Amino acid sequence: MSGKTVLVTGASAGFGAAIAAKFAENGWRVIAFARRAERLAKLVDRFGPERVHAAAFDIRDEAAMRVALDALPKDFRDVDLLVNNAGLALGTAKAQDCDLAQWRQMIDTNVTALVTLTRLLLPKLIERRGAIANISSISGTYPYTGGNVYGGTKAFVTHFSANLRTDLHGTGVRVTNIEPGMAETEFTLVRTGGNQSASDKLYAGARPITGQDIADTLWWVANLPPHLNINRIEVMPVSQSAAGLQIARDA
Ligand code: NDP
Ligand code: 8X3
């Protein structure tokens, strides 16, 4: 065992599942949070309860989050790395056609839950001279049609990461904002309300980022010497690039 502990939110699928497996495989203790208990149980079965501790709850529920943190087994209490990964996009409609409940769910998950967990763990992370990795998105930098509130939540995450770095000046705590582009996970299935063919169509022929790519990137970040801080990483598949501005004439 490395003796180190990582807490990964959204460890039941996509990036989070790949990150949890990568760190567990390489000797870290992993705390895995997500709603789907059966997925987390598979992670515990695969690596053993001494390596992976799982807690299934909705991270929008602050009371449940506090219970999960209070219930961490002794060996899992010294968190060295917090990976704020759980998140989602809901819908692809233009702002004027969007569902407010979906907007609120994205804000509650991608922003409110992320800052809550971060605040609760900051004393421990400062004590351990630990690290935080926030999974933001290129959608926080580049606007696109239908990105509206999802992109807004990720712009928040990107700027929160930068502000955390500043507030944590002198503590030794490292903060990295990871900004992936298109990645094939369950992301589009969730975004489209379970439309597998829409998801398959988006990724077809595009060679998107994989969960493993992001796990490998984070593994590199986490294992750099402690005097180095990677502030932000923007990563896209080669097949994706920004497409520029638009003009509506006589509007
Ligand atoms: P997935 O849908 O594959 O995974 C999302 C994870 O978040 C799941 O484990 C899910 O677990 C968890 N999650 C969602 N809502 C909640 C909640 N309320 N409480 C607890 N856990 C929750 O998507 P990705 O792996 O792609 O997404 C991971 C992160 O990466 C997200 O923040 C996303 O915005 C970001 N991202 C994704 C990109 C992509 O193209 N795929 C690109 C850039 C960033 P469960 O459902 O079991 O609760
Ligand atoms: C997900 C990447 O480009 O689909 O954050 O918004 S994108």
Side-chain angles (χ1 to χ4, degrees):
M1 296 280 282
S2 75
K4 290 200 170 178
T5 301
V6 57
L7 190 164
V8 185
T9 66
S12 61
F15 296 162
I19 291 165
K22 175 92 188 177
F23 280 72
E25 257 157 35
N26 286 283
W28 285 51
R29 290 188 189 86
V30 175
I31 302 161
F33 286 173
R35 288 167 300 186
R36 283 171 289 179
E38 67 292 351
R39 295 271 192 106
L40 297 180
K42 284 191 183 144
L43 208 53
V44 178
D45 287 347
R46 184 170 159 201
F47 294 104
E50 70 294 334
R51 191 65 64 92
V52 177
H53 171 77
F57 65 98
D58 189 321
I59 54 162
R60 291 170 293 168
D61 180 345
E62 183 185 333
M65 184 188 286
R66 286 177 181 273
V67 168
L69 292 175
D70 288 345
L72 286 177
K74 190 169 163 293
D75 285 350
F76 288 83
R77 286 198 190 142
D78 286 339
V79 177
D80 297 289
L81 171 62
L82 165 63
V83 184
N84 280 313
N85 163 75
L88 77 173
L90 292 170
T92 54
K94 291 186 177 178
Q96 53 272 37
D97 300 318
C98 281
D99 174 6
L100 262 178
Q102 291 191 329
W103 277 7
R104 289 199 184 98
Q105 185 174 346
M106 287 188 276
I107 294 165
D108 292 347
T109 310
N110 302 358
V111 174
T112 309
L114 181 148
V115 302
T116 304
L117 182 59
T118 303
R119 180 65 189 89
L120 293 178
L121 281 173
L122 273 175
K124 176 59 76 180
L125 291 166
I126 291 169
E127 178 193 313
R128 307 275 305 158
R129 295 177 79 81
I132 300 168
N134 290 327
I135 308 297
S136 181
S137 162
I138 58 160
S139 66
T141 304
Y142 305 98
Y144 62 84
T145 305
N148 45 72
V149 164
Y150 176 67
T153 65
K154 293 303 185 178
F156 175 93
V157 172
T158 296
H159 206 66
F160 181 56
S161 299
N163 277 337
L164 273 176
R165 274 278 288 139
T166 301
D167 283 1
L168 291 166
H169 181 77
T171 64
V173 176
R174 300 190 280 178
V175 182
T176 300
N177 196 60
I178 300 183
E179 303 157 31
M182 181 176 59
E184 186 165 9
T185 60
E186 294 179 13
F187 180 83
T188 301
L189 205 56
V190 171
R191 184 172 209 166
T192 59
N195 187 337
Q196 187 66 57
S197 67
S199 178
D200 292 345
K201 196 171 155 203
L202 176 66
Y203 302 124
R207 298 191 63 190
I209 295 171
T210 65
Q212 193 61 49
D213 294 327
I214 298 301
D216 292 346
T217 302
L218 183 58
W219 179 254
W220 171 73
V221 168
N223 287 285
L224 286 167
H227 67 285
L228 289 179
N229 193 96
I230 303 298
N231 295 342
R232 53 197 291 188
I233 295 182
E234 183 183 292
V235 51
M236 289 184 191
V238 175
S239 62
Q240 186 180 37
S241 59
L245 303 171
Q246 54 189 344
I247 298 167
R249 301 190 191 280
D250 304 322

